[in-house]
């Protein structure tokens, strides 16, 4: 199924021509639950991983005090099925019990998994084929694979690893890659999803604009040609209208501009050569939030089927970054194989 972002409320460059040269193309990925194969671009699906290439591990220490309760990946899958079954049971019968005795017994049993000390196999997070999705890449690569360690490290999110490869060189695929014996949080195990890429135009977050243009965006007199109802329909003021509806798209995407929310913009020099890094891939907790409803795909409101595995409010991948934020990966445009930068912007 393809997904279509509704047109923006109006053309912002007609009001502010200074924004036109700052336009960037982003590709919204629209992940939705599916059954990806190694030949698909996906979230949480199997990777086209060479059988003769060692699987990557994280051998750094992991702090058991940060999250004393851990689960195996199979535990997480079982818990998700139980939660989805409970939600559907209550939907069909509001008087039905929230949890059955069997579900409670399962959860109590799974709450006693022992902590694991040792190297942790990395988890597949995303696989992108250049034929499906445009992204910055080394000249010889047409495939990007993103894996992470499902534990917090010095920052409160998983640490990622990028692997670039030419898919044509992979003739024998690893059949059964190792899984982590435990994951620190169930939201660090992505639910398998397929992509439906769609290109959209983005403009910078207001905080990345010069002060003069920021002031103009906040000046209501500059917006007098716009229907005043747009203020009440989409936002309380012009600044909010631009920020939430006209600048950066929410959700999983490649390219575009950084969607700042937690921090002010800061330099992102490449650790290897100093070139300013650019957005590569945004790993989002959800496809939209309360302030970005105009970005909800036109096909989503028409879908009245129960959300799979409880994936409500656009949280189709079932991952969560720092309580609902985004993990954005940046790469060096001069050489994407240089070390990348992780940010929760």
């Amino acid at each position: 199924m393809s997904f279509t972002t509704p047109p923006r409320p109006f053309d912002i460059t007609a009001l502010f021509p200074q924004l036109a040269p700052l336009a960037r193309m982003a590709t919204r990925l629209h992940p939705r639950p599916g059954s990806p194969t190694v030949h698909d671009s996906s979230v949480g699906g199997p990777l086209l991983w060479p059988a003769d290439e060692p699987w990557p591990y994280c051998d750094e220490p992991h702090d058991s005090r940060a999250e004393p309760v851990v689960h195996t990946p199979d535990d997480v899958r079982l818990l998700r099925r139980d939660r989805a079954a409970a939600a559907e049971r209550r939907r069909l019968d509001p008087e039905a019990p929230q949890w059955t005795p069997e579900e409670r017994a399962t959860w109590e049993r799974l709450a006693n998994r022992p902590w694991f000390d040792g190297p942790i196999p990395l988890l597949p997070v995303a696989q992108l084929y250049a034929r499906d999705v445009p992204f910055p890449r080394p000249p010889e690569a047409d495939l990007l694979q993103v894996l992470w360690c499902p534990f917090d490290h010095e920052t409160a999110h998983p640490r990622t690893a990028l692997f670039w490869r030419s898919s044509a060189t992979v003739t024998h695929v690893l059949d059964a890659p190792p899984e982590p014996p435990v994951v620190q949080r169930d939201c660090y195990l992505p639910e398998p999803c397929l992509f439906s890429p769609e290109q959209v135009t983005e403009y910078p977050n207001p905080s990345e604009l010069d002060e003069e243009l920021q002031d103009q965006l906040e000046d209501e007199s500059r917006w007098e040609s716009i229907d005043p109802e747009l203020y009440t329909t989409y936002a309380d003021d012009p600044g909010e209208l631009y920020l939430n509806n006209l600048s950066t798209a929410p959700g999983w995407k490649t390219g575009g501009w950084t969607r700042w929310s937690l921090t002010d913009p800061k330099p992102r020099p490449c650790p290897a050569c100093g070139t300013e890094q650019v957005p590569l891939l945004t790993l989002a907790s959800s496809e939209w939030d309360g302030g970005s409803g105009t970005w909800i795909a036109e096909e989503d409101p028409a879908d009245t089927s129960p959300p799979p595995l409880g994936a409500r409010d656009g949280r189709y991948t079932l991952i969560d970054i720092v309580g609902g934020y985004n993990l954005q990966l940046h790469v060096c445009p001069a050489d994407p194989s240089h070390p990348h930068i992780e940010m929760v912007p």
Side-chain angles (χ1 to χ4, degrees), residues 174-186:
L174 182 65
D175 289 331
E179 280 200 326
V182 294
V183 297
Q184 184 177 2
R185 306 180 197 276
D186 60 0

Side-chain angles (χ1 to χ4, degrees), residues 140-338:
E140 70 282 0
D142 69 337
L143 180 61
L144 168 63
Q145 295 168 330
V146 182
L147 296 89
W148 69 20
C149 174
F151 286 78
D152 294 337
H153 288 80
E154 68 278 2
T155 53
H157 59 74
R159 176 176 294 170
T160 56
L162 307 185
F163 294 85
W164 310 89
R165 63 178 83 252
S166 168
S167 59
T169 65
V170 183
T171 55
H172 295 88
V173 179
L174 182 65
D175 289 331
E179 280 200 326
V182 294
V183 297
Q184 184 177 2
R185 306 180 197 276
D186 60 0
C187 59
Y188 289 170
L189 179 69
E191 188 64 22
C193 290
L194 290 163
F195 289 136
S196 177
E198 178 203 19
Q199 291 193 329
V200 297
T201 302
E202 291 192 339
Y203 299 96
N205 181 285
S207 56
E208 292 207 76
L209 302 172
D210 62 54
E211 289 188 12
E212 180 181 1
L213 188 49
Q214 288 186 46
D215 291 341
Q216 291 178 10
L217 285 171
E218 293 288 348
D219 182 358
E220 292 192 16
S221 67
R222 308 274 299 198
W223 298 72
E224 289 179 350
S225 63
I226 301 301
D227 184 349
E229 290 188 4
L230 287 174
Y231 296 155
T232 56
T233 302
Y234 297 115
D236 294 328
D237 59 70
E240 183 183 347
L241 177 63
Y242 175 77
L243 173 65
N244 290 335
N245 303 281
L246 304 170
S247 58
T248 56
W252 282 68
K253 63 183 181 181
T254 60
W257 286 90
T258 302
R259 189 175 170 84
W260 302 97
S261 53
L262 284 176
T263 63
D264 292 330
K266 58 185 178 182
R268 288 142 283 171
C270 173
C273 69
T275 303
E276 184 75 1
Q277 295 208 347
V278 297
L280 168 68
L281 174 65
T282 299
L283 294 78
S285 298
S286 62
E287 288 300 288
W288 61 81
D289 56 31
S292 57
T294 64
W295 294 94
I296 298 175
E298 293 176 346
E299 294 78 8
D300 278 316
D303 185 359
T304 59
S305 60
L309 296 180
R312 297 184 182 277
D313 302 322
R315 298 177 180 268
Y316 297 106
T317 66
L318 299 186
I319 70 166
D320 187 275
I321 303 296
V322 198
Y325 289 92
N326 300 331
L327 178 61
Q328 192 163 50
L329 310 183
H330 293 71
V331 293
C332 176
D335 188 345
S337 66
H338 285 172

